[in-house]
Short mmCIF file of all heavy atoms in Angstrom, two decimals:
data_model
loop_
_atom_site.label_atom_id
_atom_site.label_comp_id
_atom_site.label_asym_id
_atom_site.label_seq_id
_atom_site.Cartn_x
_atom_site.Cartn_y
_atom_site.Cartn_z
N GLU A 1 -3.69 71.81 98.53
CA GLU A 1 -2.45 72.51 98.47
C GLU A 1 -1.29 71.45 98.39
O GLU A 1 -1.40 70.42 99.03
CB GLU A 1 -2.21 73.41 99.69
CG GLU A 1 -3.30 74.52 99.86
CD GLU A 1 -3.17 75.21 101.15
OE1 GLU A 1 -3.54 74.67 102.20
OE2 GLU A 1 -2.76 76.40 101.17
N PHE A 2 -0.34 71.74 97.66
CA PHE A 2 0.83 70.86 97.48
C PHE A 2 2.07 71.36 98.20
O PHE A 2 2.34 72.56 98.15
CB PHE A 2 1.12 70.62 95.99
CG PHE A 2 -0.04 69.97 95.25
CD1 PHE A 2 -0.81 70.77 94.44
CD2 PHE A 2 -0.31 68.61 95.39
CE1 PHE A 2 -1.88 70.17 93.67
CE2 PHE A 2 -1.34 68.06 94.66
CZ PHE A 2 -2.16 68.85 93.85
N SER A 3 2.78 70.42 98.78
CA SER A 3 4.07 70.75 99.42
C SER A 3 5.11 69.97 98.64
O SER A 3 5.31 68.81 98.72
CB SER A 3 4.03 70.32 100.88
OG SER A 3 5.26 70.57 101.53
N HIS A 4 5.82 70.71 97.77
CA HIS A 4 6.78 70.12 96.76
C HIS A 4 8.16 69.95 97.47
O HIS A 4 8.87 70.97 97.66
CB HIS A 4 6.86 70.94 95.58
CG HIS A 4 5.63 71.06 94.70
ND1 HIS A 4 5.36 70.17 93.72
CD2 HIS A 4 4.56 71.88 94.77
CE1 HIS A 4 4.18 70.47 93.14
NE2 HIS A 4 3.73 71.56 93.79
N GLU A 5 8.51 68.73 97.74
CA GLU A 5 9.86 68.49 98.24
C GLU A 5 10.79 68.20 97.11
O GLU A 5 11.25 67.09 96.84
CB GLU A 5 9.81 67.31 99.18
CG GLU A 5 8.99 67.54 100.44
CD GLU A 5 8.77 66.30 101.32
OE1 GLU A 5 9.58 65.38 101.21
OE2 GLU A 5 7.70 66.31 102.06
N LYS A 6 11.07 69.29 96.35
CA LYS A 6 11.77 69.14 95.03
C LYS A 6 13.19 68.71 95.17
O LYS A 6 13.71 67.89 94.47
CB LYS A 6 11.65 70.46 94.29
CG LYS A 6 10.22 70.81 93.85
CD LYS A 6 10.24 72.13 93.09
CE LYS A 6 8.80 72.51 92.67
NZ LYS A 6 8.79 73.79 91.99
N ASP A 7 13.89 69.33 96.17
CA ASP A 7 15.32 69.12 96.23
C ASP A 7 15.70 67.81 96.95
O ASP A 7 16.71 67.17 96.59
CB ASP A 7 15.99 70.29 97.03
CG ASP A 7 15.80 71.60 96.31
OD1 ASP A 7 15.72 71.56 95.10
OD2 ASP A 7 15.73 72.70 97.03
N GLN A 8 14.92 67.38 97.94
CA GLN A 8 15.24 66.21 98.71
C GLN A 8 13.98 65.60 99.33
O GLN A 8 13.09 66.28 99.79
CB GLN A 8 16.25 66.59 99.81
CG GLN A 8 16.65 65.42 100.70
CD GLN A 8 17.47 65.83 101.88
OE1 GLN A 8 17.47 66.99 102.29
NE2 GLN A 8 18.23 64.94 102.52
N LEU A 9 13.92 64.25 99.25
CA LEU A 9 12.82 63.63 99.96
C LEU A 9 13.08 63.65 101.42
O LEU A 9 14.13 63.19 101.91
CB LEU A 9 12.75 62.09 99.48
CG LEU A 9 11.71 61.22 100.09
CD1 LEU A 9 10.30 61.75 99.80
CD2 LEU A 9 11.87 59.80 99.58
N LEU A 10 12.16 64.23 102.20
CA LEU A 10 12.40 64.56 103.57
C LEU A 10 11.89 63.55 104.62
O LEU A 10 11.98 63.84 105.82
CB LEU A 10 11.83 65.98 103.91
CG LEU A 10 12.47 67.09 103.09
CD1 LEU A 10 11.72 68.43 103.23
CD2 LEU A 10 13.90 67.27 103.53
N GLU A 11 11.34 62.48 104.15
CA GLU A 11 10.68 61.49 105.01
C GLU A 11 9.46 62.17 105.73
O GLU A 11 9.12 63.29 105.52
CB GLU A 11 11.64 60.82 105.98
CG GLU A 11 12.69 60.01 105.29
CD GLU A 11 13.56 59.18 106.22
OE1 GLU A 11 13.16 58.99 107.40
OE2 GLU A 11 14.62 58.72 105.80
N THR A 12 8.83 61.36 106.63
CA THR A 12 7.60 61.86 107.26
C THR A 12 7.77 63.09 108.14
O THR A 12 6.96 64.02 108.10
CB THR A 12 6.89 60.71 108.08
OG1 THR A 12 7.92 60.15 108.94
CG2 THR A 12 6.42 59.63 107.06
N GLY A 13 8.81 63.10 109.01
CA GLY A 13 9.04 64.22 109.86
C GLY A 13 9.44 65.42 109.15
O GLY A 13 8.88 66.54 109.41
N GLY A 14 10.46 65.28 108.35
CA GLY A 14 10.92 66.41 107.55
C GLY A 14 9.87 66.95 106.63
O GLY A 14 9.75 68.18 106.45
N GLY A 15 9.04 66.08 106.05
CA GLY A 15 7.99 66.48 105.21
C GLY A 15 6.95 67.29 105.95
O GLY A 15 6.38 68.31 105.37
N LEU A 16 6.63 66.89 107.17
CA LEU A 16 5.64 67.63 107.99
C LEU A 16 6.20 69.04 108.24
O LEU A 16 5.41 70.04 108.14
CB LEU A 16 5.38 66.93 109.27
CG LEU A 16 4.43 67.61 110.25
CD1 LEU A 16 3.09 67.86 109.58
CD2 LEU A 16 4.28 66.76 111.54
N ILE A 17 7.49 69.13 108.65
CA ILE A 17 8.06 70.44 108.96
C ILE A 17 8.06 71.32 107.73
O ILE A 17 7.77 72.57 107.78
CB ILE A 17 9.45 70.32 109.51
CG1 ILE A 17 9.51 69.67 110.88
CG2 ILE A 17 10.19 71.68 109.63
CD1 ILE A 17 8.68 70.37 111.96
N PHE A 18 8.37 70.76 106.58
CA PHE A 18 8.38 71.49 105.29
C PHE A 18 7.00 72.02 104.98
O PHE A 18 6.93 73.12 104.36
CB PHE A 18 8.86 70.56 104.20
CG PHE A 18 9.27 71.21 102.95
CD1 PHE A 18 10.45 71.98 102.83
CD2 PHE A 18 8.46 71.18 101.78
CE1 PHE A 18 10.82 72.61 101.66
CE2 PHE A 18 8.82 71.79 100.61
CZ PHE A 18 10.04 72.49 100.56
N ALA A 19 5.98 71.39 105.38
CA ALA A 19 4.55 71.83 105.12
C ALA A 19 4.04 72.69 106.29
O ALA A 19 2.83 72.97 106.25
CB ALA A 19 3.68 70.61 104.84
N LYS A 20 4.82 72.98 107.26
CA LYS A 20 4.34 73.65 108.45
C LYS A 20 3.51 74.88 108.18
O LYS A 20 2.43 75.12 108.79
CB LYS A 20 5.54 74.11 109.28
CG LYS A 20 5.17 74.86 110.58
CD LYS A 20 6.48 75.25 111.41
CE LYS A 20 6.07 76.11 112.59
NZ LYS A 20 7.29 76.48 113.36
N LYS A 21 3.90 75.70 107.23
CA LYS A 21 3.17 76.95 106.91
C LYS A 21 1.78 76.73 106.44
O LYS A 21 0.86 77.54 106.51
CB LYS A 21 3.98 77.78 105.90
CG LYS A 21 4.07 77.10 104.56
CD LYS A 21 4.94 77.94 103.60
CE LYS A 21 5.10 77.33 102.22
NZ LYS A 21 5.80 76.06 102.29
N LEU A 22 1.50 75.46 105.98
CA LEU A 22 0.18 75.17 105.44
C LEU A 22 -0.69 74.58 106.56
O LEU A 22 -1.89 74.32 106.30
CB LEU A 22 0.24 74.16 104.29
CG LEU A 22 1.12 74.63 103.09
CD1 LEU A 22 1.23 73.53 102.04
CD2 LEU A 22 0.53 75.87 102.45
N LEU A 23 -0.13 74.26 107.70
CA LEU A 23 -0.81 73.55 108.73
C LEU A 23 -0.91 74.25 110.12
O LEU A 23 -1.74 73.95 110.95
CB LEU A 23 -0.19 72.12 108.97
CG LEU A 23 -0.24 71.23 107.78
CD1 LEU A 23 0.75 70.05 107.94
CD2 LEU A 23 -1.62 70.62 107.60
N GLU A 24 0.09 75.12 110.39
CA GLU A 24 0.25 75.61 111.73
C GLU A 24 -0.89 76.51 112.22
O GLU A 24 -1.01 76.73 113.41
CB GLU A 24 1.54 76.45 111.83
CG GLU A 24 1.70 77.61 110.90
CD GLU A 24 3.07 78.27 111.01
OE1 GLU A 24 3.80 77.99 111.91
OE2 GLU A 24 3.36 79.06 110.05
N GLN A 25 -1.77 76.91 111.34
CA GLN A 25 -2.88 77.81 111.76
C GLN A 25 -4.06 76.95 112.21
O GLN A 25 -5.02 77.50 112.75
CB GLN A 25 -3.32 78.76 110.59
CG GLN A 25 -2.22 79.70 110.15
CD GLN A 25 -1.68 80.55 111.26
OE1 GLN A 25 -2.45 81.07 112.08
NE2 GLN A 25 -0.40 80.63 111.30
N GLU A 26 -3.97 75.67 111.96
CA GLU A 26 -5.05 74.76 112.38
C GLU A 26 -4.95 74.45 113.91
O GLU A 26 -3.87 74.39 114.39
CB GLU A 26 -4.98 73.39 111.59
CG GLU A 26 -5.00 73.56 110.11
CD GLU A 26 -6.22 74.13 109.57
OE1 GLU A 26 -7.32 73.68 109.93
OE2 GLU A 26 -6.18 75.08 108.78
N GLU A 27 -6.10 74.25 114.51
CA GLU A 27 -6.05 73.80 115.91
C GLU A 27 -5.49 72.44 115.98
O GLU A 27 -4.61 72.13 116.81
CB GLU A 27 -7.42 73.82 116.51
CG GLU A 27 -7.54 73.36 117.96
CD GLU A 27 -8.91 73.48 118.54
OE1 GLU A 27 -9.80 73.96 117.89
OE2 GLU A 27 -9.09 72.96 119.68
N ASP A 28 -5.98 71.56 115.11
CA ASP A 28 -5.35 70.25 114.96
C ASP A 28 -5.64 69.80 113.54
O ASP A 28 -6.40 70.35 112.82
CB ASP A 28 -5.95 69.23 115.99
CG ASP A 28 -7.48 69.31 116.13
OD1 ASP A 28 -8.09 69.72 115.10
OD2 ASP A 28 -8.01 68.95 117.23
#
């Protein structure tokens, strides 16, 4: 799955939050 930061490069922390919906269901 791709998390497209089209509007702004969000760095590592912002990028992780932006992809939250793709990861939050995982235990880890």
Side-chain angles (χ1 to χ4, degrees):
E1 298 171 286
F2 297 104
S3 180
H4 294 268
E5 298 171 23
K6 294 179 181 178
D7 297 331
Q8 180 187 20
L9 180 61
L10 296 171
E11 295 189 18
T12 51
L16 177 60
I17 295 299
F18 194 73
K20 177 181 176 181
K21 63 183 181 296
L22 303 175
L23 296 163
E24 62 185 342
Q25 300 304 316
E26 305 296 312
E27 180 179 352
D28 46 28

